[in-house]
Amino acid sequence: MLLLGAHLSTSGGIATAFERATAINCTAFQIFSKSNRQWKANPLNPAEIEQYHQRQTETGIPLVVCHATYLLNIASSDETIWHKSVGALVVELQRCELLKIPYLVLHPGAHTGSGIEAGIARVITALDTVHDRLPDYHVKIALEIMAGQGSTMGSTFGEIATMINGCRQSERVAVCFDTCHALVAGYEFRTVESYQAMLNEFERTIGLARLKVIHLNDSHKNLGSRVDRHAHIGEGCIGLDPFGYFLNDERFKEIPFLLETPKNDDPADDIRNLEKLRGLIAPS
Ligand code: FE
Ligand code: FE
Ligand code: ZN
């Protein structure tokens, strides 16, 4: 069974995402475990956690991924922002651990002028700090490949690899590949040949064993534009076929494919995008 789903709302409680998932036949999904526009997180209460586990068992959905709040910036050279971000990252990981969520997708952050090297050093210190503070945790941080807007870090495989290899407990760090981000960051993968070449580069720099989450988004902006605008599947610069390369890749049989395409409250857009993706899956 292919792990295929979307980023889903938890409006009405964290466990409600399972109903949204089954309604559109997701076999995996992504959530925010707290508001993505606020620093503050109300602690998860035992009843909420219990209900979440119960729904997961009932629905049989094997894998849920959490995305960290967008506000975090562990690449910051500003002490206040950095400490606030590290503290919030600890809380995010604690919530994942309580919910038995295996991956927390995290944007590496922006250096905001201090430079790439300084930014990477901050990221590494932050990763070491949270790992030291939370020994024996199961949840892993999955650093996301970014579009490279402004001073955003992590838009090259090399940067991601340097961050991971720099930290002391590097086995606790995974990677999330986002198709929209990778394209606008300059990675070509829209032909079978360029797809294989890109994955070869990923293997050489980061290592495919680290790849644990794939975000499937089309892109309004083209190769190398460094502008992050997600489009519906097959309606942007990526087009339909390249999504099939990922979905049918034998190496990704156990990796969740998750949509982060535009939508409003009703699930129509997710249903349509998931249908398009399912149509690309070769019969086994
Ligand atoms: Fe993201
Ligand atoms: Fe993403
Ligand atoms: Zn994006």
Side-chain angles (χ1 to χ4, degrees), residues 107 144 146 178 180-181 217 228-230 260:
H107 298 173
E144 183 167 5
M146 300 306 291
D178 185 306
C180 169
H181 297 176
N217 304 308
D228 184 12
R229 296 278 180 280
H230 298 191
E260 294 174 315

Side-chain angles (χ1 to χ4, degrees), residues 30 67 70 105 107 144-146 176-179 181 215-217 228 230 258 260:
Q30 176 175 278
H67 195 301
Y70 294 138
V105 175
H107 298 173
E144 183 167 5
I145 307 288
M146 300 306 291
C176 170
F177 184 91
D178 185 306
T179 52
H181 297 176
H215 288 164
L216 294 181
N217 304 308
D228 184 12
H230 298 191
L258 305 167
E260 294 174 315

Side-chain angles (χ1 to χ4, degrees), residues 14 33-35 38-46 48-49 91-92 94-95 98-99:
I14 196 117
S33 85
K34 54 178 284 298
S35 165
Q38 278 179 21
W39 287 95
K40 191 177 69 69
N42 294 325
L44 292 165
N45 66 56
E48 246 181 314
I49 297 165
V91 171
E92 293 259 11
Q94 286 168 335
R95 296 168 80 83
L98 286 169
L99 299 171

Side-chain angles (χ1 to χ4, degrees), residues 157-215:
F157 298 163
E159 275 177 33
I160 296 279
T162 307
M163 289 170 194
I164 294 174
N165 297 331
C167 73
R168 279 183 269 105
Q169 298 183 57
S170 57
E171 70 284 357
R172 294 176 66 176
V173 187
V175 175
C176 170
F177 184 91
D178 185 306
T179 52
C180 169
H181 297 176
L183 184 85
V184 300
Y187 290 100
E188 179 61 89
F189 55 84
R190 293 172 291 182
T191 61
V192 176
E193 297 72 29
S194 59
Y195 170 81
Q196 292 301 346
M198 179 195 64
L199 286 190
N200 288 345
E201 187 180 341
F202 193 109
E203 170 66 7
R204 276 196 310 275
T205 47
I206 300 172
L208 280 168
R210 297 235 187 245
L211 180 53
K212 296 297 182 189
V213 181
I214 296 181
H215 288 164

Side-chain angles (χ1 to χ4, degrees), residues 63-251:
L63 189 61
V64 181
V65 170
C66 184
H67 195 301
T69 311
Y70 294 138
L71 298 170
L72 304 193
N73 186 7
I74 59 167
S76 180
S77 56
D78 179 299
E79 281 298 317
T80 309
I81 293 170
W82 188 85
H83 280 285
K84 202 173 176 182
S85 299
V86 168
L89 180 54
V90 166
V91 171
E92 293 259 11
L93 289 164
Q94 286 168 335
R95 296 168 80 83
C96 289
E97 197 72 4
L98 286 169
L99 299 171
K100 299 191 167 72
I101 289 175
Y103 299 108
L104 176 71
V105 175
L106 175 70
H107 298 173
H111 65 71
T112 61
S114 64
I116 289 171
E117 247 172 75
I120 289 177
R122 299 301 275 174
V123 170
I124 291 169
T125 309
L127 293 173
D128 281 342
T129 305
V130 300
H131 289 153
D132 287 347
R133 265 205 236 168
L134 306 170
D136 307 320
Y137 260 39
H138 300 280
V139 58
K140 291 182 180 187
I141 290 168
L143 294 175
E144 183 167 5
I145 307 288
M146 300 306 291
Q149 295 193 111
S151 66
T152 302
M153 314 284 305
S155 62
T156 68
F157 298 163
E159 275 177 33
I160 296 279
T162 307
M163 289 170 194
I164 294 174
N165 297 331
C167 73
R168 279 183 269 105
Q169 298 183 57
S170 57
E171 70 284 357
R172 294 176 66 176
V173 187
V175 175
C176 170
F177 184 91
D178 185 306
T179 52
C180 169
H181 297 176
L183 184 85
V184 300
Y187 290 100
E188 179 61 89
F189 55 84
R190 293 172 291 182
T191 61
V192 176
E193 297 72 29
S194 59
Y195 170 81
Q196 292 301 346
M198 179 195 64
L199 286 190
N200 288 345
E201 187 180 341
F202 193 109
E203 170 66 7
R204 276 196 310 275
T205 47
I206 300 172
L208 280 168
R210 297 235 187 245
L211 180 53
K212 296 297 182 189
V213 181
I214 296 181
H215 288 164
L216 294 181
N217 304 308
D218 208 332
S219 175
H220 281 299
K221 302 293 173 179
N222 216 335
L223 183 74
S225 64
R226 300 171 81 93
V227 180
D228 184 12
R229 296 278 180 280
H230 298 191
H232 294 296
I233 301 299
E235 297 176 18
C237 295
I238 295 176
L240 198 53
D241 288 350
F243 293 102
Y245 309 154
F246 290 93
L247 290 164
N248 295 303
D249 196 317
E250 286 296 322
R251 294 168 287 191

